[in-house]
Amino acid sequence: MKSQDTPFEGGPMDGRVLPVLLGPTGHPPKTYRIPVPDAAGGPPTVLYYRREPLGYTKRLGLQRGWKYVYDPEGERGGDRPRWPWSKPVRRPAEGRSDGPGGRREAGAPDNTPEGKPDDPTG
């Protein structure tokens, strides 16, 4: 298999260049996980890096390669294939009053108008 020297930015691997195996399309994986063993013998800490373009050439605008950027939030579904028929992964938005399953809580205000407007023509 082919490998490519890929730079890492941010996090504990900042500034390092590691050989990363390329896939069948010639690109490195979208996410790169690095397990770091715990000194006390506990479960390892996993560092997540996501792939981004390294840069572009000036004249033709071609992509130069790839780099990995540290992702402190961890994995956000980067390993799952996104099929057109799959439902998107829903994440609860902050500050919303939706309860579990997207249902409104009983005491939450509702912003929808009640009944029809008082328009006799429409």
Side-chain angles (χ1 to χ4, degrees):
M1 292 205 74
K2 277 182 95 173
S3 65
Q4 176 183 3
D5 290 339
T6 309
F8 285 77
E9 287 186 1
M13 299 292 289
D14 190 23
R16 296 188 186 183
V17 178
L18 297 177
V20 176
L21 292 175
L22 303 178
T25 60
H27 298 290
K30 289 183 181 179
T31 58
Y32 196 80
R33 295 183 300 259
I34 303 173
V36 178
D38 188 59
T45 303
V46 180
L47 303 174
Y48 290 97
Y49 285 85
R50 71 177 184 281
R51 182 183 73 184
E52 289 187 357
L54 182 62
Y56 298 94
T57 59
K58 290 181 182 180
R59 183 171 286 196
L60 296 176
L62 300 175
Q63 186 175 331
R64 289 192 207 169
W66 299 99
K67 66 181 176 181
Y68 281 105
V69 178
Y70 180 63
D71 189 4
E73 296 177 8
E75 188 173 9
R76 290 176 282 185
D79 289 344
R80 291 184 46 202
R82 288 186 277 161
W83 303 108
W85 55 84
S86 299
K87 292 182 179 179
V89 178
R90 295 200 60 185
R91 303 203 187 284
E94 293 181 20
R96 292 189 61 180
S97 61
D98 291 352
R103 297 185 192 115
R104 288 206 176 268
E105 297 174 4
D110 191 7
N111 292 333
T112 58
E114 294 183 23
K116 289 185 172 182
D118 296 332
D119 186 12
T121 60

